[in-house]
Amino acid sequence: MSTLIERTASAYTYPLLIKNLFNAPVVDNPEQEIVYRELRRHDYRAFRRRVCQLAGALQRLGIKAGDTVAVMDYDSHRYLECFFAVPMLGAVLHTVNVRLSPEQILYTIDHAEDDLLLIHADFLPILEAIKGRIDTVKNYILLQDEDSAPASTVAFAGEYEALLEESPTTFDFPEFDENTRATTFYTTGTTGMPKGVYFSHRQLVLHTLGVLAALGTPTSQGRFHQGDVYMPITPMFHVHAWGFPYLATALGIKQVYPGRYAPDTLLELIKDEGVTLSHCVPTILHMLLSHPKIDTIDLSGWKVLIGGAALPQAMCRAALDRGIDIFAGYGMSETCPVLTVAHIGEEDLSADDEVEIRCKTGRPIPLVDLRVVDEELRDVPADGESVGEIVVRAPWLTQGYLKDHRNSETLWRGGYLHTGDVAGMDRKRYVKITDRIKDVIKVGGEWLSSLEVEDILGQHPAVAEVAVIGIVDDKWGERPLALVVPKGDAVPDEKSLVGLVREFIDKGMMSKQALLLKVRLVEEIDKTSVGKINKRVLREKYGQ
Amino acid sequence: MSTLIERTASAYTYPLLIKNLFNAPVVDNPEQEIVYRELRRHDYRAFRRRVCQLAGALQRLGIKAGDTVAVMDYDSHRYLECFFAVPMLGAVLHTVNVRLSPEQILYTIDHAEDDLLLIHADFLPILEAIKGRIDTVKNYILLQDEDSAPASTVAFAGEYEALLEESPTTFDFPEFDENTRATTFYTTGTTGMPKGVYFSHRQLVLHTLGVLAALGTPTSQGRFHQGDVYMPITPMFHVHAWGFPYLATALGIKQVYPGRYAPDTLLELIKDEGVTLSHCVPTILHMLLSHPKIDTIDLSGWKVLIGGAALPQAMCRAALDRGIDIFAGYGMSETCPVLTVAHIGEEDLSADDEVEIRCKTGRPIPLVDLRVVDEELRDVPADGESVGEIVVRAPWLTQGYLKDHRNSETLWRGGYLHTGDVAGMDRKRYVKITDRIKDVIKVGGEWLSSLEVEDILGQHPAVAEVAVIGIVDDKWGERPLALVVPKGDAVPDEKSLVGLVREFIDKGMMSKQALLLKVRLVEEIDKTSVGKINKRVLREKYGQ
């Protein structure tokens, strides 16, 4: 039997609480700035005061430990204040995904049992659409950037700034169990209603320390430090803006919140505020890199962590050409999110190799136990060829889906969180994701990546769009079917498409199973609400 | 009531265990080196294998979870292996202070209830002296640097390398509660027997992450990163070499262990192995800086964290002149140890101001709640003048003294760990220690630092040595008494000494209470076994 440490009666059992991340840096850097677009800037002294005032206002409106407070806002100084004040009260912060449909938003508000909703004026039309049907919310707080109140039928408990002004500037935040739930938000898939994930104080503190240990300690490339200026370009409702507002606050650095994402504003803020570190999905970076203003702005010295989707090599090169230190990371809503980061390290690399590493999924950060496994949870070899599903353990993974026992157990079967991502690992343990597991095609027991086949077929001159799915096959179990939208009048035939695939097989860049490819011409390919190919629908239509 | 997060049955509750710090970097950097003097070097692959082999050997000798394994060795690759293998078994690592007297060592071995002792050949004379009286140790393992076994009457269970060779190269380390005790060691004061402190897996993991977050993220000065080469110059028995072997391993960097501290060897290793980061007490650095070889070695690029005693400004300047990035930190055996680090930050500082900041005690690192308080635990103002005792909370403080209820409660009275150090805090929250609380003189309710009065009197040309203590005074409670050893034939009189003190009072550099100074000439000043002034004895002799 191992021996637990003895605690003398008076000893303080230090719980890992968000307030402990907040206190020191905010006191130590009183003059550091928080900026909200061109509309507002204040120092950490005011930040600290406002967090206390927000807590006081929420308490006055009846919010207590265990209650849930929802926010619908753009990335703002107010959202940052909610990141701290709400969990520090012992309440749960529900960061509402404002891009969902009104019906889905209604579902998440009901499911999370929100007690209070802070809502930006721009999102009032959504609220008007669902208002009569919200069961749990007792109070609404209006967030606005204009001086005049918007027209609305909602009976607000008050406007944010007015409520803060009425509150004392100090607040005695309570102590509680570090496993107290701090945040909740919803993740959407191609099937069913959104699923709720949740994170405790302990998990958010450990995520902050783990990511700081990973991003703080590289020798040079991709390093996050006390001299940086931070601006998120991932919504704060999306996995706590990847947790970076907590990191930035713990570092005591200048933080810039851009409000609604408009390419001009983002570029202006980067230039005017001297932003040095951001994170975003490839689509947003593409939007910035192709903006007419881009040539007037010096982006060298800007570090950008890319996640949410694979970083294309062409985009990586374009960013590097502008002096941007760009690199990929990997994680998901269920994982708080950061699991891996693609730092290039200290090796002497060719430009091509460097791009390849920056675009891979990276290596696990401290405390992340990441494995690539087969269906029996056995490790597949780290040889750069074998593939399997990524499963993980880390101190910051959701311990289930909110009020959803069946999906929770599926997520955690065998004691590892199943990411649903198919990847390979090379000899240096860099992970590279090749597909979603539900889209993988299982041909005679081997896994064939639908994405890789799509990449090849997309290069055919007569193909406008392509999706590859697995269809039932008596001999092989499954075989690949390409659904192809022809480009203009050209009609790509099966023979020339299979021929293209064969070229890649001959070069050792594709597995032989792809030769079993069938082709079907279609007029259009079904998409999800966010514009991704909906393979579930395609399989229902064409899979038999 | 706050809501705890729900865990689905299959979810993995990730405990913070030392094995989780060990796994990833050791796998990710298989070619990284561990060096032991000129005697041995191997890669992380071998390091991993050897930790498994050591665990196997210990298990074969009957060691199980809850047992205690003691080590008496110089700083070595073997000690590093013990840092991991012993706690990862669920056993407790007792790092024996080999500088204690044989009787004290016997006391600590008995008190810690050691089950097994690994001992370097050089320390066998100590063991021979106490051998018949050790009650708990069942097995001894010999550590040696020579090929031939030393003459000894101890019946060893085996020699370290031979035992490792007989063990399998993999080991399945168990899971257990993160609050399991991982380490124990003893701290000595001027009174009583050594007191045992102890740290859990959780505490050591959080200390590693917290110190990495503090030392990894400065913009440039005093930064610890993945390109560093680490060598301790603080014994591994002393607060786990300040925890740095855990940091270095988590970073996956090259580590150099110097064996017995000999100035030549240390300087040679710094040069030959490219050491870039070390930590030590001022005495050791002084020894290196005044070594004849020093001018032949380029020390620019060497970062040195100084602790254990105040960093004198003259030493700081001398080190800076050689290009050494020197800075102070603060902590103690009871605190794992790191609490503060003196980084200069990004401000534009004069050379003098920079030296002053590097020599202060620094600012609290993340998660450390450090206060300077009066006797009622009220904060004294952070104004650079007021002083009080440093009390702390952090996730890595010993939760008591081993089997010593009374001292445990004294240490933790009021829910804060009392450091016994008197300090002031300036407006930027840099802490500066001025005295030990038990040596402070309380004059009419005000605290007078004995060290500061000693500093002044030591500048008098007729003073060879001086100690200042408080003596009982009817009017003031206490007043200062200077015990002075005259220099040669000169006899300093009270009037000229008080006059010297008055000069400093007039310049605003000393508080007026010092004018109450009495002087007594003595032939010698009592010292402790480690050469520090023994004020307890002085107070007994002269205090009434």
Side-chain angles (χ1 to χ4, degrees), chain A residues 457 460 462-467 481-497 517-525 538 541-542:
Chain A
L457 298 180
H460 192 283
V463 171
E465 203 177 357
V466 60
L481 169 70
L483 301 159
V484 173
V485 180
K487 189 181 275 178
D489 295 334
V491 178
D493 63 309
E494 186 165 302
K495 197 174 151 195
S496 75
L497 289 169
L517 184 75
K518 304 286 291 178
V519 175
R520 182 159 176 170
L521 300 184
V522 294
E523 282 185 12
E524 60 169 0
I525 288 172
L538 294 180
K541 277 191 182 172
Y542 306 106

Side-chain angles (χ1 to χ4, degrees), chain A residues 368-396:
Chain A
V368 171
D369 171 14
L370 184 149
R371 297 170 58 202
V372 178
V373 299
D374 65 17
E375 285 168 344
E376 270 79 48
L377 268 178
R378 290 174 303 215
D379 291 288
V380 306
D383 57 10
E385 291 182 9
S386 309
V387 294
E389 185 183 7
I390 297 178
V391 298
V392 280
R393 291 174 165 180
W396 47 76

Side-chain angles (χ1 to χ4, degrees), chain A residues 148-169:
Chain A
S148 56
S152 170
T153 65
V154 179
F156 289 105
E159 182 274 329
Y160 189 84
E161 290 299 326
L163 287 169
L164 260 57
E165 267 168 42
E166 291 163 21
S167 302
T169 56

Side-chain angles (χ1 to χ4, degrees), chain A residues 344-362:
Chain A
I344 58 170
E346 285 311 286
E347 282 175 277
D348 207 13
L349 297 169
S350 70
D352 282 353
D353 288 348
E354 187 181 318
V355 166
E356 196 184 332
I357 290 186
R358 286 176 184 266
C359 294
K360 279 195 176 181
T361 317

